[in-house]
Amino acid sequence: MGAGGRMSDPPSGKKTAAEALKRAPHEKPPFTIGDLKKAIPAHCFQKSLVTSFRYLIQDLFMAYALFYVATNYIDQYLPTPFNYVAWAAYIAVQGCVLTGAWVVGHECDHDAFSNYNWINDLVGLVVHSSLLVPYFSWKISHRRHHANTQSLENDEVYVPRFKSNIRNYYKLLNNPPGRVLVWLTTLLIGFPLYLMFNVSGHKYERWTSHYDPHSPLYSDRERKEIIVSDIAILAVIYDLYQLVLAKGFAWVFCVYGGPLLVVNGWFVLYTILNHTHPSLPYYDSTEWDWLRGALCTVDRDYGILNKVFHNVCNAHVCHHIFSMIPHYHGLESTEAMKPILGEYYQYDGTPILKAMYREMKECIYVEKDEGETKGVYWYRNKF
């Protein structure tokens, strides 16, 4: 299957290349947020503390089981080089499992974990901090992203470039090896760079960091929460330092550092692919409104990882329209909305590796169509 603006595939089950890249509707939709809410069964908006904890405990149990097997059996029973292969497999699988835990923790950002704000914040702080993400800092900026999706002036992250802002090194990297290099670099260090230096984020007049309580990202009343986030991160870093002293750097990297790189890589990958597609428009302030912006995301298919990642990738459209819906109701809510959304529902079943390369190639900068006066912008790749 391909991508594009239609709700369902043609009878053949396939889409042509032209259909896969067909532009999504960009006019104001003929339905309202109220229409969509009415279409979704009422129970989908119900949050169950027990169910949320069940998913979190399930992920943590799998993570511990993998850790136990790896640390007790790999080096003891596998000779070199088979132990290296086993550790690589552990890092990859553990990274996927911890990404699922990350997603459950992310529910706390939107108060979708439970009906109790203090529980949401406590669980979110523990889960995010354990994965070296400053919880309150991320929660604030992430909610701002949800409030301004696809707004050229106000979206908080993955803000597209204009052609006039393209630097020369982008042109040098606009070839197959360059695109692979850019993707590898982005997946490896993209998320830490965003948290530390606001790389790919909304441009502010001064230096911006998620760790700075006085960052322009935050208001005065939010600064104490940023300090709490920083203290929690420092506590985790101190614990990791003590582990390095006791077990050695290689052990800590294998059991924690490597999987963490995988978590960061998956997070960057699926957030980019859920928001970057040749068919999706961006809007300036003359055209943007919240609903049209929220509709400009695309559901993707990650195969078995859809379940591991708790459907954050294949129910992402629903997540942007109703972020308070728990992940375990995301697919049902998506199916309920599809008849109302019609051509405004975006799905892309392109294999992920192919989609990664295509989006890196096609989605370099945004500009208006020639002669267009409305504030609607589309991705381009011609220099």
Side-chain angles (χ1 to χ4, degrees):
M1 291 184 292
R6 298 197 178 276
M7 181 182 67
S8 57
D9 290 339
S12 65
K14 301 284 186 178
K15 287 186 178 180
T16 66
E19 289 170 329
L21 299 178
K22 179 183 176 182
R23 286 181 172 180
H26 64 274
E27 301 85 3
K28 289 189 176 183
F31 50 81
T32 66
I33 189 71
D35 296 328
L36 295 173
K37 188 171 184 179
K38 289 178 184 177
I40 299 173
H43 72 264
C44 289
F45 292 92
Q46 300 299 316
K47 311 161 196 175
S48 168
L49 183 62
V50 172
T51 302
S52 295
F53 265 117
R54 177 171 64 82
Y55 278 103
L56 179 59
I57 292 171
Q58 170 186 298
D59 288 340
L60 296 179
F61 176 80
M62 287 191 293
Y64 177 76
L66 287 167
F67 164 79
Y68 181 84
V69 170
T71 55
N72 286 277
Y73 294 99
I74 289 180
D75 289 332
Q76 183 173 354
Y77 292 102
L78 293 178
T80 304
F82 298 105
N83 60 333
Y84 295 142
V85 176
W87 275 115
Y90 162 82
I91 287 171
V93 176
Q94 184 72 291
C96 292
V97 171
L98 291 177
T99 301
W102 202 112
V103 172
V104 178
H106 156 258
E107 300 270 278
C108 300
D109 303 343
H110 299 287
D111 293 327
F113 187 86
S114 76
N115 292 312
Y116 308 97
N117 290 338
W118 71 271
I119 292 180
N120 295 334
D121 284 341
L122 179 60
V123 173
L125 182 65
V126 172
V127 174
H128 281 63
S129 300
S130 298
L131 296 171
L132 293 183
V133 178
Y135 170 67
F136 289 108
S137 313
W138 164 254
K139 173 182 176 180
I140 293 165
S141 67
H142 186 61
R143 284 188 172 185
R144 193 170 296 147
H145 158 63
H146 272 258
N148 298 282
T149 308
Q150 300 299 100
S151 167
L152 286 171
E153 289 94 347
N154 298 312
D155 202 350
E156 195 58 49
V157 68
Y158 299 130
V159 181
R161 304 172 186 85
F162 294 103
K163 188 175 183 180
S164 59
N165 295 334
I166 297 294
R167 298 178 181 177
N168 288 331
Y169 65 83
Y170 280 100
K171 300 176 183 179
L172 294 175
L173 295 172
N174 190 31
N175 51 67
R179 294 181 196 117
V180 172
L181 176 62
V182 170
W183 260 120
L184 290 176
T185 304
T186 302
L187 295 179
L188 186 64
I189 60 175
F191 191 41
L193 288 179
Y194 169 64
L195 292 175
M196 288 188 289
F197 306 113
N198 199 41
V199 173
S200 84
H202 178 83
K203 302 305 178 186
Y204 291 93
E205 293 182 356
R206 63 183 180 86
W207 184 74
T208 303
S209 171
H210 280 72
Y211 300 99
D212 178 10
H214 297 282
S215 168
L217 283 165
Y218 313 117
S219 65
D220 289 338
R221 64 180 178 82
E222 293 168 336
R223 306 204 190 283
K224 291 181 180 179
E225 294 179 333
I226 311 309
I227 294 173
V228 172
S229 296
D230 290 348
I231 292 173
I233 293 295
L234 289 173
V236 173
I237 291 174
Y238 178 77
D239 289 341
L240 290 172
Y241 171 71
Q242 293 297 319
L243 268 178
V244 169
L245 293 180
K247 295 285 190 175
F249 176 81
W251 188 91
V252 174
F253 177 82
C254 285
V255 302
Y256 177 84
L260 182 64
L261 291 178
V262 175
V263 173
N264 289 343
W266 276 121
F267 174 75
V268 170
L269 175 62
Y270 67 65
T271 50
I272 288 179
L273 291 185
N274 280 132
H275 291 279
T276 305
H277 194 279
S279 71
L280 297 179
Y282 275 82
Y283 304 98
D284 67 20
S285 58
T286 65
E287 284 288 320
W288 183 87
D289 63 71
W290 182 86
L291 181 55
R292 276 197 286 177
L295 290 169
C296 289
T297 184
V298 55
D299 285 348
R300 302 271 190 173
D301 184 9
Y302 287 71
I304 192 173
L305 290 177
N306 288 334
K307 291 187 69 67
V308 178
F309 297 163
H310 303 302
N311 301 308
V312 72
C313 309
N314 58 327
H316 204 75
V317 174
C318 172
H319 175 62
H320 263 267
I321 299 173
F322 296 109
S323 60
M324 75 293 292
I325 290 180
H327 67 85
Y328 40 85
H329 293 315
L331 289 182
E332 183 181 359
S333 301
T334 297
E335 292 301 317
M337 288 193 298
K338 279 184 181 180
I340 307 295
L341 292 172
E343 289 193 339
Y344 283 84
Y345 173 69
Q346 301 299 301
Y347 171 80
D348 187 343
T350 302
I352 296 304
L353 288 177
K354 182 178 180 181
M356 288 170 61
Y357 186 82
R358 183 190 66 195
E359 268 57 300
M360 182 63 69
K361 179 181 178 182
E362 300 290 335
C363 305
I364 297 178
Y365 61 89
V366 295
E367 67 178 7
K368 297 180 184 180
D369 286 340
E370 186 175 352
E372 180 60 73
T373 58
K374 291 183 178 180
V376 182
Y377 294 72
W378 303 93
Y379 276 114
R380 301 279 198 276
N381 66 351
K382 304 298 183 184
F383 290 108

